[in-house]
Amino acid sequence: MNIPHISDYKNGWLTIEGVGDFSVFRTFDCGQCFRFDPTASGGFAHEVSGTAKGKAVSFAENSDGKLYIKASPEDFFDIWLSYLGLDTDYGMINLSILSGLSGDDALHMERAMNASRGIRILRQDPWEALISFIISQNNNIPRIKKIISALCEEYGEAIEGGYAFPTAEDLANAGEDALFRLKTGFRAKYIYDAARKVALGEIDLQRIAALDYELAQTELMKIKGVGPKVCACTLLFGFEKLSAFPIDVWIKKVLANRFSKGFDPSVFGEYAGVAQQYLFYFERYIGEQLQ
């Protein structure tokens, strides 16, 4: 595994080398986070800007295999190295995913893996992931982003370059009616229930992070509106439970059309969530061309 390191720092942009297979474009275009958008401030081939971990930040890439981050060197080592999963051996993860497969199932997974190369699971804040995926229910990405942006602007702390994600206490104090007025719809009661339970300590997110998957799922599903899919997304993207395998319409389609009859995703093993992202990206952007 390559060890990422800073090779240059100029005009506020860090140049990071040794990132291995990492794609800014694919990582931020696979439905796992909602507070980043394409930008073009630095003249890169691909650039996204947004807010995470209470910081405004930009990530960019060209075709030179380097990563560019608009942030301080201290924040790279303290926050973004881990957030982007650059300290994780995805070569080993990919081999582990393929190890339980054979025949056409293995061929298709390898094809999806190659098409999705560079996707990493972001280590997002658990609270932000929970609320984001509650909002994602029966919703589309532009509207999800709009609602989250409204929540942050209304109740989040102002930071340089944007707004931090509001705390559980902030949203609990706002009340269900105020949350509804931000066009959250039926999700207002779910957001409020999550905020109230976390603020009161009825749901302990730090404790959930330490639990195994089944127990963590049981705890999260005590929140109104958190069913299996929302729970799986939250555990995968907010708690680094990489065995989580969220199933949406794209994944249902790929499992039905690309894998052997009766295929069980548990064969992907402890990194099933990484496999899910590869399959989601492949089916969404490439699979339709193969029909």
Side-chain angles (χ1 to χ4, degrees):
M1 176 184 170
N2 293 326
I3 301 174
H5 62 279
I6 299 171
S7 63
D8 196 12
Y9 185 37
K10 186 183 298 181
N11 299 323
W13 285 91
L14 298 166
T15 300
I16 312 297
E17 297 191 45
V19 296
D21 281 331
F22 175 76
S23 168
V24 170
F25 177 74
R26 289 174 179 158
T27 295
F28 287 90
D29 192 41
C30 62
Q32 62 175 310
C33 67
F34 305 102
R35 298 200 69 198
F36 284 84
D37 291 299
T39 48
S41 64
F44 299 99
H46 298 293
E47 179 185 334
V48 297
S49 298
T51 305
K53 303 290 185 178
K55 299 267 188 174
V57 65
S58 296
F59 304 110
E61 63 190 352
N62 287 318
S63 58
D64 55 9
K66 300 174 184 178
L67 168 65
Y68 301 88
I69 305 179
K70 194 170 187 180
S72 70
E74 294 78 14
D75 281 352
F76 170 68
F77 290 110
D78 291 345
I79 302 172
W80 307 123
L81 176 67
S82 174
Y83 176 77
L84 297 173
L86 299 178
D87 54 358
T88 302
D89 187 348
Y90 270 71
M92 177 276 294
I93 286 175
N94 293 346
L95 289 174
S96 177
I97 290 169
L98 291 171
S99 67
L101 305 176
S102 61
D104 289 343
D105 293 338
L107 289 174
H108 180 71
M109 186 67 247
E110 190 167 9
R111 190 178 193 181
M113 193 177 286
N114 289 333
S116 308
R117 190 168 297 279
I119 288 176
R120 302 279 175 122
I121 302 296
L122 300 172
R123 293 189 178 104
Q124 300 180 63
D125 176 75
W127 165 246
E128 181 173 340
L130 170 61
I131 297 302
S132 296
F133 286 101
I134 286 175
I135 291 169
S136 75
Q137 297 178 81
N138 299 316
N139 221 339
N140 57 61
I141 289 178
R143 192 161 179 270
I144 296 166
K145 287 185 172 185
K146 189 173 182 179
I147 292 171
I148 292 173
S149 178
L151 277 178
C152 294
E153 290 178 18
E154 188 71 23
Y155 299 110
E157 178 185 354
I159 59 173
E160 184 178 354
Y163 295 88
F165 198 83
T167 65
E169 291 77 12
D170 291 332
L171 297 186
N173 290 336
E176 184 179 331
D177 290 343
L179 296 173
F180 182 83
R181 286 195 291 273
L182 294 180
K183 299 183 179 179
T184 56
F186 69 88
R187 305 164 195 86
K189 60 181 175 290
Y190 302 153
I191 297 169
Y192 176 69
D193 189 66
R196 186 185 63 80
K197 285 176 176 170
V198 171
L200 293 174
E202 294 178 21
I203 297 292
D204 185 338
L205 299 182
Q206 286 189 328
R207 177 175 172 271
I208 288 173
L211 297 175
D212 64 27
Y213 185 84
E214 288 73 19
L215 290 175
Q217 182 183 51
T218 298
E219 284 298 302
L220 275 185
M221 288 176 64
K222 291 177 181 178
I223 298 169
K224 291 178 182 176
V226 177
K229 179 175 176 288
V230 169
C231 188
C233 288
T234 301
L235 291 174
L236 176 59
F237 303 122
F239 290 85
E240 204 184 354
K241 305 286 188 186
L242 297 185
S243 63
F245 193 83
I247 297 178
D248 63 3
V249 292
W250 293 104
I251 297 302
K252 286 180 182 178
K253 187 174 184 178
V254 75
L255 292 178
N257 296 340
R258 313 285 182 200
F259 288 89
S260 55
K261 186 176 181 180
F263 181 82
D264 184 352
S266 66
V267 301
F268 292 132
E270 61 183 309
Y271 302 113
V274 180
Q276 190 266 7
Q277 284 290 275
Y278 294 153
L279 294 170
F280 172 85
Y281 189 89
F282 178 84
E283 193 65 22
R284 185 180 179 191
Y285 291 106
I286 299 169
E288 289 293 320
Q289 303 170 23
L290 304 178
Q291 299 298 327

